[in-house]
């Protein structure tokens, strides 16, 4: 037998199972984690095509996390909420790299940005994983999400009463050596920049501890931990986090692969914490089939889906 390259491995499932893919969700869906624009490219040239997908998939409202600030935010609001005011919610995303390089008082700069964004019409704040992973202050130190210099930002967010969708951490495998034991080695081969192991990086446990410190320090801010708060591999830890921090919600976007491998525990978890888990797709441009996979996973007893 010849060795097969991992990059060529493309097994066809031999299981014969019943599948019941729902056309539409049983109830209207709020997609709390999605995008319309990545970097400078629009995913959608025609927003009405996205709205057709939402109609077909029974998605009542769609949160666009790519609002940015200033002119970019105004453009998102005009483009989405102009024609479809009941369909879209736009979150701001701040210019962290600039703020941290500009001044040691970067919390104040970010607070000012979020205040302006809300004045323009943003209804939430998105914080991406680069905060806590890669962003460094003028002295070269990693800026953690619990950094006290950020307190002015979080106090302002509390005052503005907007939710924060925070993507901190990532799948555990991205924090481990990229070797034959790594369960996401194929993905890391395709995206080497998703590997957060080695000099300059800390463990996922430490990043989650820092996140919990933030949750403790700002109990008046509602945080939505994106992707099951990077804890889908360890639902025990996530239970403890949710029990300890009433200001924490999570979204389940992009984590069916983890939940589906522990279906009994995941079902118990989702039922017990049903008021703390938000729906999110995080696939754009979204197709109806992308939503249907989630409906199949959440609404049916189907056991196997590629
Ligand atoms: Zn996302």
């Amino acid at each position: 037998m010849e060795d097969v390259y991992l990059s060529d491995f493309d097994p066809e499932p031999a299981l014969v199972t019943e599948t019941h893919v729902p056309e539409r969700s049983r109830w209207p869906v709020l997609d709390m984690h999605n995008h319309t624009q990545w970097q400078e490219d629009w995913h959608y040239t025609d927003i009405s095509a996205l709205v057709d997908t939402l109609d077909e998939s029974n998605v009542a409202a769609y949160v666009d996390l790519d609002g940015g600030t200033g002119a970019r935010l105004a453009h998102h609001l005009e483009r989405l909420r102009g024609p479809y005011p009941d369909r879209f919610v736009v979150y701001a995303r701040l210019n962290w790299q600039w703020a941290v390089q500009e001044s040691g008082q970067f919390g104040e700069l970010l607070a000012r940005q979020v205040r302006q964004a809300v004045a323009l019409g943003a209804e939430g704040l998105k914080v991406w994983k680069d905060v806590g992973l890669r962003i460094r202050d003028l002295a070269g130190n990693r800026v953690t999400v619990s950094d006290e210099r950020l307190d002015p930002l979080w106090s302002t967010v509390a005052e503005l009463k907007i939710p924060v969708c925070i993507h901190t951490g990532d799948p555990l495998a991205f924090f481990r050596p990229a070797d034959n034991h790594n369960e996401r080695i194929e993905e890391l081969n395709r995206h080497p920049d998703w590997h957060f192991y080695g000099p300059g990086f800390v463990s996922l446990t430490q990043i989650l501890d820092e996140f919990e410190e933030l949750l403790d320090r700002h109990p008046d801010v509602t945080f939505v931990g994106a992707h099951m708060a990077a804890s889908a591999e360890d639902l025990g830890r996530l239970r403890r986090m949710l029990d300890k921090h009433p200001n924490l919600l999570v979204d389940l976007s992009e984590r069916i692969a983890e939940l589906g491998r522990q279906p009994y525990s995941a079902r118990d978890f989702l039922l017990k914490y049903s008021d703390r888990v938000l729906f999110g797709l995080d696939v754009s441009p979204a197709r109806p089939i992308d939503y249907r996979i989630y409906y199949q996973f959440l609404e049916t007893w189907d056991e196997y889906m590629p």
Side-chain angles (χ1 to χ4, degrees):
M1 191 155 28
E2 272 182 68
D3 271 351
V4 174
Y5 287 112
L6 190 57
S7 52
D8 291 335
F9 187 58
D10 184 19
E12 290 173 4
L15 279 184
V16 179
T17 56
E18 285 193 30
T19 57
H20 311 84
V21 184
E23 286 284 304
R24 290 163 65 81
S25 59
R26 195 181 303 181
W27 295 281
V29 166
L30 305 179
D31 184 352
M32 296 295 292
H33 184 141
N34 223 322
H35 301 273
T36 55
Q37 186 185 34
W38 189 245
Q39 292 166 352
E40 297 311 313
D41 300 324
W42 277 99
H43 284 185
Y44 298 100
T45 48
D46 179 7
I47 294 300
S48 71
L50 169 60
V51 172
D52 288 344
T53 295
L54 303 184
D55 286 342
E56 194 179 330
S57 312
N58 202 19
V59 178
Y62 183 101
V63 175
D64 164 27
L65 299 175
D66 299 333
T69 54
R72 174 171 168 154
L73 174 61
H75 186 56
H76 273 245
L77 289 161
E78 181 195 315
R79 193 137 185 199
L80 297 169
R81 288 184 54 86
Y84 305 102
D86 301 330
R87 221 56 195 279
F88 292 100
V89 171
V90 178
Y91 279 30
R93 196 164 138 181
L94 309 181
N95 197 340
W96 287 76
Q97 195 63 54
W98 168 81
V100 167
Q101 292 302 311
E102 187 73 8
S103 150
Q105 310 285 308
F106 48 84
E108 308 281 354
L109 297 179
L110 294 165
R112 208 178 310 151
Q113 277 186 30
V114 78
R115 204 179 280 286
Q116 285 164 354
V118 169
L120 275 174
E123 293 177 279
L125 174 66
K126 167 72 185 299
V127 178
W128 195 50
K129 66 185 173 189
D130 52 350
V131 184
L133 260 184
R134 295 190 192 277
I135 293 209
R136 292 181 179 272
D137 66 14
L138 288 168
N141 299 314
R142 191 172 58 90
V143 176
T144 69
V145 292
S146 56
D147 192 312
E148 56 190 34
R149 289 170 292 181
L150 294 173
D151 283 344
L153 168 66
W154 306 124
S155 317
T156 304
V157 164
E159 181 200 319
L160 295 168
K161 293 188 168 57
I162 54 166
V164 179
C165 174
I166 180 164
H167 176 171
T168 190
D170 242 354
L172 180 58
F174 294 178
F175 294 83
R176 289 189 166 166
D179 59 16
N180 56 322
H181 300 300
N182 192 302
E183 68 174 7
R184 286 181 181 249
I185 187 74
E186 298 167 86
E187 216 173 345
L188 287 172
N189 275 333
R190 288 197 305 272
H191 303 281
D193 55 317
W194 292 356
H195 197 213
F196 311 123
Y197 176 82
F201 292 113
V202 295
S203 67
L204 177 61
T205 303
Q206 185 171 336
I207 285 176
L208 292 174
D209 288 347
E210 290 161 1
F211 179 40
E212 286 205 72
E213 219 179 294
L214 169 63
L215 293 168
D216 266 336
R217 289 245 305 281
H218 293 277
D220 43 358
V221 176
T222 300
F223 289 95
V224 178
H227 314 304
M228 302 296 280
S231 303
E233 294 93 334
D234 184 355
L235 293 179
R237 169 157 194 162
L238 188 52
R239 280 172 181 265
R240 290 193 294 278
M241 284 168 72
L242 286 163
D243 291 343
K244 191 165 170 221
H245 310 284
N247 56 330
L248 174 63
L249 305 173
V250 295
D251 78 49
L252 52 68
S253 64
E254 287 288 308
R255 288 301 177 271
I256 287 182
E258 279 68 35
L259 298 174
R261 284 185 290 158
Q262 42 183 334
Y264 307 114
S265 307
R267 179 179 157 80
D268 282 349
F269 178 91
L270 292 173
L271 290 174
K272 174 158 189 218
Y273 295 95
S274 58
D275 56 345
R276 310 282 294 280
V277 181
L278 305 175
F279 182 92
L281 183 72
D282 196 23
V283 173
S284 89
R287 301 159 303 169
I289 185 63
D290 298 314
Y291 283 109
R292 282 181 196 139
I293 290 168
Y294 280 76
Y295 305 161
Q296 181 188 19
F297 178 71
L298 292 168
E299 293 187 12
T300 77
W301 289 97
D302 290 358
E303 296 162 305
Y304 180 79
M305 49 203 79

